[in-house]
Amino acid sequence: MSDHGDGHHNGTQITPFVEIDRSEWSRLAPTTQSPLTDAEIVQLRGLGDRLDMTEVAEVYLPISRLLSLYVAAAKRLHDSTMSFLGGSADRTPFVIGVAGSVAVGKSTVARLLRELMSRWPDTPRVELITTDGFLYPNAELKRRGIMERKGFPEAYDRRALLRFVSAVKSGAPEVRAPFYSHLKYDIVPDANVVVRRPDVLIVEGLNVLQPAGNGHRLTVADLFDFSIYVDARTSDIASWYEERFMALQRGAFTNPNSYFNVYADLTEEQARERARYFWREVNEPNLIDNIRPTKARAKLVLRKASDHKVSSVLLRKV
């Protein structure tokens, strides 16, 4: 276990994180059997992800156990505060943010944590929302001249996202979010994702740890009880992105209804060139300028090696 960070002070590094390597972290795993089967893990896995039983047992079960401790502590604090104030109020949902680059595997992490946490006794109701639903519709992005900046902070209706999470956190019985179709690459009018009083809400997206913008007092990250950043070397993420693009080009893009159907007939070399172009022009600048700077705001950082497996865990010192 080591302190890890970038700042130096009198020759020693100063950092808010303690770094725990993979072998040490896996020793924290609960002795209980993994609650997931091989088949369930395959269903949770994103394209190109290499998630397996060992990874779930050694990396994600300890995280879900740690999270359940945080949830229990938050509940105790809430109850104590209410009794101090002489009143009683329903407990509000525990909100977890999951951030990281395109193609780094954050969606898989979010889906996996939803499954694992829903099996702990205190948190049977776990809901997952992705920030894709809060992207402005393509027509609006075009009107603003930022269609090619989809995924950048300015492409999202951040006010609507903040209102949504605030409503869930304040205990509203039913809150609706817009629905985003990856096939259509756009918001689907009149389609909703409905969240009903969960014990835990997981909010997954590229820029969920973004600080408040100019003139805004509050940001969605201010409503998180816990946050996770999925990290890897830029060169590794670039190659994962390219491989994922190639897999989609052979799969989903061949669907005539797909927004990306125009790429289905490219040769392999042309498709790779297109993937590298998207990475270079859109995804890498977004990672460097907007996403990676938010890593220091996370409570826990999962650092992945080039084979997609988690090599170390950085936990913010409590």
Side-chain angles (χ1 to χ4, degrees), residues 27-69:
R27 286 203 285 273
L28 308 174
T31 45
T32 49
Q33 204 48 44
S34 169
L36 299 177
T37 63
D38 273 326
E40 286 173 311
I41 290 169
V42 169
Q43 286 173 327
L44 291 169
R45 211 157 47 189
L47 253 185
D49 230 326
R50 316 260 171 85
L51 190 68
D52 57 24
M53 282 295 236
T54 310
E55 192 80 351
V56 170
E58 294 185 354
V59 177
Y60 295 100
L61 261 178
I63 292 173
S64 80
R65 180 76 191 109
L66 179 70
L67 284 168
S68 75
L69 295 174

Side-chain angles (χ1 to χ4, degrees), residues 43-47 49 106-116 128 202 204:
Q43 286 173 327
L44 291 169
R45 211 157 47 189
L47 253 185
D49 230 326
K106 65 186 175 311
S107 303
T108 301
V109 170
R111 287 194 295 266
L112 184 55
L113 288 176
R114 177 184 59 192
E115 292 307 313
L116 292 174
L128 168 61
I202 300 172
E204 178 254 303

Side-chain angles (χ1 to χ4, degrees), residues 227-295:
S227 51
I228 296 170
Y229 183 94
V230 187
D231 195 25
R233 280 192 200 89
T234 308
S235 55
D236 288 336
I237 306 173
S239 66
W240 298 341
Y241 176 79
E242 189 176 320
E243 290 316 314
R244 190 177 78 170
F245 187 92
M246 297 307 295
L248 286 167
Q249 194 237 355
R250 295 186 293 266
F253 294 175
T254 59
N255 182 325
N257 296 319
S258 168
Y259 178 87
F260 292 105
N261 183 247
V262 288
Y263 303 129
D265 296 330
L266 297 180
T267 64
E268 179 172 351
E269 197 36 60
Q270 287 171 325
R272 285 194 184 280
E273 191 39 60
R274 181 64 8 197
R276 286 177 199 140
Y277 170 83
F278 283 139
W279 176 258
R280 198 172 57 240
E281 297 299 317
V282 181
N283 296 302
E284 188 176 31
N286 195 18
L287 171 61
I288 291 165
D289 298 341
N290 301 308
I291 303 167
R292 185 162 288 147
T294 68
K295 176 167 71 172

Side-chain angles (χ1 to χ4, degrees), residues 55-168:
E55 192 80 351
V56 170
E58 294 185 354
V59 177
Y60 295 100
L61 261 178
I63 292 173
S64 80
R65 180 76 191 109
L66 179 70
L67 284 168
S68 75
L69 295 174
Y70 269 84
V71 172
K75 180 182 187 304
R76 284 195 303 274
L77 181 61
H78 177 268
D79 293 348
S80 308
T81 307
M82 281 304 142
S83 78
F84 170 74
L85 294 172
S88 70
D90 288 343
R91 175 157 71 112
T92 63
F94 189 88
V95 182
I96 301 168
V98 179
S101 171
V102 160
V104 81
K106 65 186 175 311
S107 303
T108 301
V109 170
R111 287 194 295 266
L112 184 55
L113 288 176
R114 177 184 59 192
E115 292 307 313
L116 292 174
M117 290 194 74
S118 67
R119 287 162 164 85
W120 289 103
D122 279 348
T123 54
R125 294 172 56 83
V126 184
E127 301 270 13
L128 168 61
I129 195 90
T130 70
T131 56
D132 296 340
F134 295 92
L135 281 160
Y136 287 115
N138 289 352
E140 178 61 17
L141 292 172
K142 285 172 184 155
R143 194 185 70 74
R144 293 179 180 219
I146 53 170
M147 185 64 186
E148 73 294 342
R149 291 176 72 79
K150 202 166 188 175
F152 283 67
E154 63 269 30
Y156 294 88
D157 187 344
R158 286 176 277 185
R159 270 217 188 93
L161 174 61
L162 187 60
R163 277 198 305 271
F164 172 84
V165 179
S166 299
V168 176

